[in-house]
Amino acid sequence: MNLNVLDLSFFSVILKIVLVIIIFVIIVQALKIMSKDVKRGGLKSGKNLGWKLKLEYSQDGSSFVSGDIISLGNKITVGRNKSNQMVLPSQSVSNFHAQIYFEDGRYMLEDLDSTNGTFINGIKVNKKSLQPGDEVRISQTVLIVSDD
């Protein structure tokens, strides 16, 4: 009888160890899958909303004209420096004025410590999420956020 109780206790310990090993393997596999997803861009960069900016008005000497559509990918930078995706050559635009980027399922506009500021719907902002219909003003350029 003592031998049976000892065998069951030993068997119980073995089952617990096997269970811990199975859980460990599942966690490792899940981490591998998540790691691959992050390396491919995951939700943060790969599933943007496909929004656009419509150029309403510009007197900043850019090559853009009223009515131009600028697609918002994962990130767009705006400024006077030629390395920006949207170059506005006016002296009232900072070299690296602002950026719009996709983060946590929404587009964010961030002023990059520009001299003359960035405005959404007439309000000066440092960092704010964008909504369809928002009017973004940088110097003498007005852009309308569109989700179609």
Side-chain angles (χ1 to χ4, degrees):
M1 198 90 166
N2 263 348
L3 188 58
N4 261 349
V5 173
L6 185 61
D7 286 347
L8 290 177
S9 174
F10 177 73
F11 186 70
S12 174
V13 170
I14 295 296
L15 282 177
K16 287 178 185 176
I17 291 172
V18 169
L19 183 62
V20 168
I21 291 172
I22 290 172
I23 292 171
F24 177 79
V25 169
I26 291 170
I27 290 171
V28 167
Q29 291 300 319
L31 288 173
K32 284 181 182 179
I33 291 169
M34 287 188 284
S35 174
K36 286 179 185 177
D37 190 43
V38 168
K39 287 178 184 175
R40 284 190 306 242
L43 288 175
K44 207 168 203 178
S45 62
K47 303 279 185 184
N48 68 55
L49 300 173
W51 290 6
K52 299 169 179 67
L53 295 174
K54 179 181 178 191
L55 186 69
E56 194 73 16
Y57 175 82
S58 182
Q59 291 295 313
D60 286 314
S62 72
S63 60
F64 297 102
V65 295
S66 293
D68 278 355
I69 303 293
I70 298 109
S71 292
L72 292 175
N74 294 321
K75 181 179 175 183
I76 184 171
T77 58
V78 182
R80 198 171 64 233
N81 189 289
K82 292 182 183 191
S83 66
N84 289 290
Q85 285 89 11
M86 184 173 190
V87 178
L88 302 174
S90 171
Q91 289 299 315
S92 61
V93 177
S94 296
N95 278 317
F96 298 96
H97 197 99
Q99 65 180 351
I100 299 171
Y101 55 93
F102 191 71
E103 177 181 76
D104 297 329
R106 60 188 176 172
Y107 282 105
M108 300 295 296
L109 181 138
E110 182 178 3
D111 184 90
L112 300 175
D113 296 322
S114 66
T115 303
N116 295 315
T118 303
F119 297 81
I120 298 178
N121 301 323
I123 300 168
K124 188 175 183 177
V125 296
N126 290 322
K127 184 176 182 180
K128 187 174 184 311
S129 65
L130 292 171
Q131 300 298 319
D134 280 349
E135 179 185 276
V136 176
R137 184 172 61 80
I138 296 172
S139 181
Q140 295 180 47
T141 298
V142 177
L143 304 152
I144 305 297
V145 178
S146 171
D147 63 353
D148 58 338

